[in-house]
């Protein structure tokens, strides 16, 4: 029997805009948002930022859309 393994990623950043909450045709909540994540600073170079597109589903989507907004970390 095969074991299901999932990858886990933890990002610390700021929301670039308010979370967009939608429902699928089956009524499942889906939240989409973009995180701006700063890279580690390198002496003598300007700060670099990555923009990560994210999705959250079901209860997590509702939680994120309720408690997070643009600029929150």
């Amino acid at each position: 029997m095969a074991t299901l393994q999932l990858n886990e990623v933890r990002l610390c950043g700021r929301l670039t805009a308010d979370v967009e909450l939608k429902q699928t045709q089956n009524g499942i909540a889906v939240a989409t948002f973009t995180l701006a994540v700063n890279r580690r600073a390198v002496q003598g170079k300007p700060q670099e930022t990555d923009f990560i597109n994210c999705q959250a589903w079901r209860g997590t989507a509702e939680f994120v859309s309720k408690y997070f907004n643009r600029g929150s970390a």
Side-chain angles (χ1 to χ4, degrees):
M1 182 192 250
T3 304
L4 177 65
Q5 294 182 341
L6 298 175
N7 294 327
E8 182 176 312
V9 176
R10 295 179 189 201
L11 301 170
C12 293
R14 296 198 176 278
L15 291 174
T16 60
D18 288 335
V19 176
E20 185 176 334
L21 181 64
K22 293 185 177 181
Q23 304 284 329
T24 66
Q25 291 179 349
N26 296 331
I28 298 171
V30 180
T32 57
F33 53 95
T34 301
L35 281 178
V37 180
N38 290 333
R39 292 187 183 188
R40 290 187 182 200
V42 177
Q43 190 172 5
K45 292 188 177 181
Q47 179 72 49
E48 293 185 17
T49 304
D50 293 312
F51 296 91
I52 313 296
N53 295 324
C54 302
Q55 284 186 341
W57 291 79
R58 295 184 171 82
T60 304
E62 293 170 0
F63 179 86
V64 169
S65 69
K66 184 175 181 180
Y67 293 107
F68 293 88
N69 52 27
R70 181 176 178 237
S72 62

